[in-house]
Amino acid sequence: ITEYDIIRILPFGGTLAKAQLDGALLSRVLDAGENNQGLGGFLHVWGARKEGGAWLVNGKPIDPAARYVVAMPDFLLTGAEINMGFLTRTNPQVHDVQQLRDIRRAVIEELARTYPARKLGGVRGDTRCPAACTRSFDTPSHAATGLAFQSSPP
C-alpha cells in the first residue's frame, strides 16, 4: 500500500475529531450507521460490535449514562450525514470535542508504525507512480479506516 493508495481511497481528506459521547447517543449513532448500509453514511467501526441486538464496546454492553471516547471524521459532527442530523457539536450528549489531524495523514502514519516500510521491486522510482508514492506498506489489501471507541475513565 502506498501513500497514493491512501489518497485514492480517501480522496476528500478532512480532519479527525475526538469527542466524548454519552452512551445513549453512541448507541443511536451506531444504529443509524447500521441502518444506513447501502444508503451512504454506513459506519465502519473498531472496538464496537452488535451482539444479540445490543451494542458492545470492548466486549461490554454500552451504558447509556457513561461517556465513551470516540474518534471520527469531523464531518460526522456536522449533522449532514444521512440519518444523523442529531450528531452535531451542539448536541448536549457530545462533550470535549478536539480537532486532530487530516484523516489521510493519520492512516499513513498508523500504517507506517504498524508495518514499517520495505523496498518493493518496481514501486519506488516507478515513473507511473505520482510523487505521493514515497512509502510502501506490506499490509493486507483490506486495510480500512473506521471509528474507534473506548470507555472513558469514571
Side-chain angles (χ1 to χ4, degrees):
I1 297 174
T2 65
E3 288 182 14
Y4 180 66
D5 293 326
I6 301 303
I7 292 167
R8 288 188 334 184
I9 63 170
L10 296 169
F12 302 111
T15 58
L16 289 170
K18 177 181 173 184
Q20 291 186 23
L21 303 184
D22 291 352
L25 178 62
L26 176 57
S27 292
R28 188 174 175 197
V29 168
L30 291 168
D31 283 337
E34 182 181 53
N35 292 332
N36 281 347
Q37 189 170 0
L39 303 174
F42 174 71
L43 302 178
H44 297 271
V45 299
W46 179 82
R49 71 178 191 279
K50 198 167 195 179
E51 190 174 289
W55 286 103
L56 306 176
V57 171
N58 297 324
K60 298 177 184 171
I62 291 177
D63 176 352
R67 287 189 181 174
Y68 295 84
V69 176
V70 181
M72 68 186 93
D74 184 60
F75 173 75
L76 285 179
L77 288 172
T78 66
E81 186 57 82
I82 296 172
N83 297 319
M84 291 192 206
F86 58 88
L87 185 57
T88 64
R89 292 172 179 268
T90 58
N91 183 316
Q93 294 178 305
V94 174
H95 313 275
D96 304 321
V97 177
Q98 298 174 29
Q99 289 299 121
L100 303 175
R101 60 193 185 275
D102 183 85
I103 191 168
R104 294 173 296 191
R105 180 58 41 206
V107 170
I108 289 167
E109 290 170 5
E110 182 61 26
L111 286 172
R113 270 192 302 276
T114 305
Y115 305 98
R118 67 180 183 94
K119 288 188 178 188
L120 298 174
V123 174
R124 294 177 200 252
D126 186 334
T127 58
R128 296 170 296 153
C129 188
C133 283
T134 57
R135 180 183 303 263
S136 297
F137 303 99
D138 184 19
T139 62
S141 61
H142 60 275
T145 61
L147 303 179
F149 303 95
Q150 70 181 42
S151 300
S152 291

